[in-house]
């Protein structure tokens, strides 16, 4: 978001800041497939609902991943996925309720213009139900290893390839035409606000895994990452003095749209220590920037007898590199219980997002243009090193049915909002940290597996709100909190099994079907390796 700087005159300020940052994910399809997953917030890296199953297990999967999250958490784990599979994740609906304290009067008032203005009921609560996108991966054996394919799934020399698309970060929030009216002494205030911002990071690309020994597997992926950030904020405020009949008004509009495309490498290893315990580690390299685009605009007006206007528009660069990450995990597998504990360390970045815009600034006083000039806007958002921890558990009720649950921390890497700022010095309006907890069930069949459950979110921190009662207009931090819940439906489909069933149906129609074999117990993935010792 863009905001005013402090310049020569209250409303003929010189913009300083940047039009370049913003983030978001990649798009596309590599090897021809895929769609998107869901997540939440700038500077919060564990917000994505990747894989469905992993999301319900507290975001874990560095050691035991077998769904669409595997290539993003540790590509070495895709070797655990047998044969040809399609993994999908549909998060369907998310309900969220957010409370914004003192939103309509976030900071000190310019007493020369508005006197001792004190408004009541300025806190805002907003809730909504949104539909979210899906994620999808296609897994297939590239090369079978040595060994009996029917008795030894973890064959030495086996290689697995995957093509995946997922949304690894997402933050969306907004309201339209939010109306407010209040009184303070002889002054009557009428205000309307519209706010929309969306941050998303998409990742798509090929992944590969190789089983070196019965215990050791390695993997790598090379995704393209697209980060997209859009924001739009508009405020119109009128203050009337009922004792004199005089009135003043202020308007504020800021908009930004940025795209950044990057590429990175992801390397991973898993090792089975015993028949029960396993460990894994993955390293995500810093991304390499490819290309970008940015458009930004700003306008504010203060009318107190005469009008002062400041406006500009520009275009330029938006760079939002993905942070380097080291993930480590440890797991334990027993006959009816599976546990995994993962830690995620994100390196700090001097540039989590950066914008640079060439713009034309125009200032108007008393109905005449007082200045017109070309200038450059630069804004940089830094990120501190962050450590998050996830814990997941799966309890088998029967061999084919399990209950899964987990929790993961989600700390914000952005610096806190301290005191008043401007939209030309900060890109992101939000600084919230949170925690996510999941609970659901998994059904395993010979055709694949089905995951159903919900993930619950809680986050608290600060947001920047427009203070229309200051001159010049500025952004002041206010406290905010959010609770949310997302319905999750995910799973994997075995294409070989589906093809086999299709052939049997065709044979039955033609009258040449063989006698049905005795029913066998479905082979549940992930448990076979522990039974090979």
């Amino acid at each position: 978001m863009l905001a005013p700087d402090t310049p020569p005159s209250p409303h003929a300020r010189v913009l300083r800041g940047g039009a370049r940052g913003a983030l978001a994910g990649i798009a596309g399809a590599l090897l021809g497939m895929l769609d998107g997953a869901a997540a939440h917030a700038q500077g919060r890296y564990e917000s994505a609902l990747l894989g469905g199953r992993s999301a319900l297990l507290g975001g874990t999967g560095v050691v035991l991943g077998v769904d669409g999250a595997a290539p993003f958490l540790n590509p070495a784990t895709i070797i655990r996925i047998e044969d040809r599979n399609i993994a999908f994740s549909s998060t369907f609906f998310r309900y969220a309720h957010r409370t914004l304290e003192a939103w309509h009067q976030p900071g000190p008032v310019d007493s020369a213009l508005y006197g001792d203005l004190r408004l009541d009921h300025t806190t805002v609560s907003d809730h909504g139900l949104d539909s979210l996108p899906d994620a999808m991966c296609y897994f297939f054996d590239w090369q079978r290893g040595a060994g009996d394919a029917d008795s030894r799934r973890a064959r030495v020399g086996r290689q697995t390839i995957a093509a995946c698309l997922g949304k690894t970060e997402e933050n969306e929030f907004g309201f339209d035409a939010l109306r407010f009216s209040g009184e303070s002494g002889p002054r009557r205030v009428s205000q309307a606000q519209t706010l929309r911002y969306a941050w998303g990071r998409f990742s798509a690309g090929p992944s590969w895994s190789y089983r070196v020994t019965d215990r050791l597997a390695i993997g790598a992926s090379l995704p393209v990452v697209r980060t997209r950030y859009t924001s739009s904020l508009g405020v119109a405020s009128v203050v009337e003095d009922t004792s004199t009949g005089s009135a003043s008004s202020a308007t504020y509009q800021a908009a930004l749209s940025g795209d950044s495309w990057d590429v990175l490498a992801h390397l991973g290893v898993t090792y089975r220590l015993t028949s029960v315990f396993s460990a894994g580690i993955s390293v995500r390299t810093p991304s390499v920037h490819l290309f970008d685009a940015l458009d930004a605009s700003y306008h504010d007006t203060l009318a107190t007898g005469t009008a002062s206007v400041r406006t500009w528009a520009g275009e330029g660069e938006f760079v939002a590199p993905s942070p380097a990450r080291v993930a480590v995990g440890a797991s334990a597998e027993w006959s009816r219980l599976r546990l995994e504990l993962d830690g995620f360390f994100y390196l700090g970045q001097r540039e989590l997002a950066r914008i640079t815009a060439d713009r034309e600034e125009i200032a108007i006083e008393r109905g005449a243009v007082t200045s017109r000039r070309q200038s450059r806007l630069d804004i940089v958002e830094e990120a501190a090193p962050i450590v998050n921890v996830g814990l997941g558990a799966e309890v088998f009720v029967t061999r084919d049915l399990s209950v899964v649950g987990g929790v993961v921390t989600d700390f914000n890497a952005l610096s806190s909002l301290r005191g008043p700022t401007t939209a030309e010095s900060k890109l992101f309006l939000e600084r919230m940290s949170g925690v996510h907890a999941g609970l659901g069930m998994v059904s395993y069949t010979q055709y694949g597996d089905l995951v159903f459950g919900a993930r619950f979110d809680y986050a608290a921190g600060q947001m920047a709100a427009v203070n229309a009662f200051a001159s010049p207009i500025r952004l002041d931090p206010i406290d905010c909190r959010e609770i949310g819940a997302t319905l999750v439906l995910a799973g994997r489909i075995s294409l070989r099994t589906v093809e086999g069933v299709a052939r049997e149906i065709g044979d039955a129609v033609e009258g040449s079907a063989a006698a049905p074999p005795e029913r066998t117990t479905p082979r549940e993935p992930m448990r076979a390796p522990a039974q090979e010792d």
Side-chain angles (χ1 to χ4, degrees):
M1 284 250 156
L2 309 173
D5 217 1
T6 340
S9 92
H11 273 31
R13 314 169 279 265
V14 174
L15 273 212
R16 231 215 140 156
R20 225 216 206 201
L23 327 226
I26 119 173
L30 258 193
L31 309 185
M33 337 212 92
L34 318 301
D35 240 320
H40 256 70
Q42 307 101 318
R44 289 168 53 195
Y45 305 126
E46 308 308 325
S47 53
L49 274 164
L50 282 173
R53 185 179 187 281
S54 290
L56 298 180
L57 284 164
T60 61
V62 176
V63 187
L64 301 179
V66 290
D67 60 8
F72 305 104
L73 295 173
N74 184 354
T77 60
I78 68 174
I79 199 70
R80 304 172 68 89
I81 300 173
E82 59 184 359
D83 225 358
R84 287 179 297 145
N85 277 255
I86 290 180
F88 64 90
S89 172
S90 298
T91 51
F92 285 129
F93 300 106
R94 181 178 190 269
Y95 172 81
H97 184 279
R98 181 175 293 202
T99 301
L100 308 173
E101 304 286 347
W103 179 258
H104 290 287
Q105 189 178 354
V109 172
D110 187 334
S111 58
L113 291 175
Y114 305 107
D116 185 21
L117 186 68
R118 297 183 182 181
L119 300 174
D120 296 324
H121 310 297
T122 58
T123 293
V124 172
S125 292
D126 185 82
H127 60 89
L129 186 66
D130 299 317
S131 60
L132 301 175
D134 335 28
M136 188 178 289
C137 285
Y138 176 50
F139 303 92
F140 59 94
D141 284 346
W142 182 26
Q143 180 176 323
R144 294 182 178 275
D148 185 348
D150 295 327
S151 62
R152 226 172 141 220
R153 184 164 68 89
R155 300 175 301 279
V156 175
R158 177 170 168 245
Q159 299 182 53
T160 299
I161 295 290
C164 297
L165 170 67
K167 183 177 266 189
T168 58
E169 290 181 41
E170 181 182 43
N171 187 25
E172 294 188 25
F173 180 71
F175 43 73
D176 297 304
L178 178 65
R179 178 180 172 272
F180 172 80
S181 61
E183 295 184 0
S184 175
R187 290 179 171 80
R188 180 181 299 161
V189 176
S190 299
Q191 196 175 86
Q193 296 194 40
T194 295
L195 167 66
R196 288 284 165 192
Y197 64 83
W199 159 279
R201 180 165 272 157
F202 301 80
S203 183
S207 298
W208 164 86
S209 183
Y210 175 71
R211 185 170 293 284
V212 182
T213 70
D214 280 348
R215 297 178 179 271
L216 176 66
I218 60 175
S221 61
L222 190 67
V224 173
V225 180
R226 179 200 179 199
T227 300
R228 178 165 177 76
Y229 180 53
T230 60
S231 65
S232 178
L233 174 58
V235 178
S237 181
V238 175
V239 180
E240 177 189 359
D241 189 331
T242 57
S243 63
T244 64
S246 62
S248 63
S249 67
T251 60
Y252 176 98
Q253 287 183 304
L256 180 149
S257 176
D259 273 286
S260 178
W261 291 80
D262 305 85
V263 64
L264 57 82
H266 200 164
L267 310 174
V269 175
T270 61
Y271 187 77
R272 187 155 52 85
L273 303 168
T274 69
S275 60
V276 173
F277 299 103
S278 300
I281 183 171
S282 68
V283 177
R284 191 175 71 188
T285 67
S287 60
V288 176
H289 187 61
L290 300 177
F291 55 90
D292 56 74
L294 172 78
D295 292 290
S297 64
Y298 174 87
H299 180 96
D300 76 52
T301 302
L302 176 62
T304 55
T306 60
S308 298
V309 179
R310 178 169 171 265
T311 184
W312 60 260
E315 59 184 22
E317 301 175 350
F318 171 67
V319 179
S322 298
R325 185 192 72 189
V326 177
V328 295
S331 69
E333 298 177 85
W334 292 280
S335 59
R336 288 190 174 272
L337 174 64
R338 202 175 283 148
L339 298 173
E340 181 168 351
L341 176 65
D342 292 347
F344 304 95
F345 174 63
Y346 294 87
L347 277 64
Q349 286 182 284
R350 300 177 72 177
E351 291 186 358
L352 176 66
R354 172 175 60 85
I355 68 171
T356 301
D358 294 316
R359 59 190 176 166
E360 181 182 40
E361 296 182 68
I362 302 172
I364 300 174
E365 298 282 348
R366 300 179 181 275
V369 174
T370 57
S371 70
R372 181 189 295 267
R373 67 170 191 147
Q374 300 294 320
S375 65
R376 190 176 181 86
L377 176 67
D378 294 294
I379 302 178
V380 176
E381 290 275 12
E382 297 183 2
I386 285 293
V387 176
N388 286 304
V389 178
L391 175 64
E394 182 172 17
V395 179
F396 282 84
V397 180
T398 68
R399 171 156 180 88
D400 308 332
L401 184 67
S402 68
V403 176
V404 296
V407 62
V408 60
T409 62
D410 194 5
F411 296 111
N412 202 308
L414 298 174
S415 59
S416 62
L417 295 168
R418 297 185 182 93
T421 183
T422 69
E424 295 159 306
S425 61
K426 293 289 184 183
L427 276 175
F428 306 130
L429 296 177
E430 185 181 288
R431 304 290 193 276
M432 297 176 71
S433 294
V435 62
H436 311 288
L439 182 65
M441 304 188 73
V442 184
S443 173
Y444 297 100
T445 73
Q446 59 183 328
Y447 306 107
D449 52 73
L450 181 66
V451 181
F452 179 79
R455 193 180 79 159
F456 307 94
D457 312 303
Y458 176 79
Q462 293 181 312
M463 279 191 67
V466 176
N467 186 351
F469 308 116
S471 180
I473 298 174
R474 68 190 189 199
L475 301 178
D476 283 317
I478 55 102
D479 294 331
C480 62
R481 58 188 178 275
E482 181 181 86
I483 57 173
T486 305
L487 179 66
V488 177
L489 177 64
R492 291 189 300 116
I493 300 172
S494 171
L495 295 185
R496 187 174 296 276
T497 302
V498 172
E499 290 173 358
V501 171
R503 283 195 299 269
E504 291 174 5
I505 293 175
D507 292 341
V509 171
E510 295 174 1
S512 58
E518 294 184 9
R519 186 181 184 277
T520 58
T521 303
R523 181 170 56 185
E524 190 274 300
M526 296 174 54
R527 209 190 275 165
Q531 298 173 344
E532 289 172 10
D533 288 342

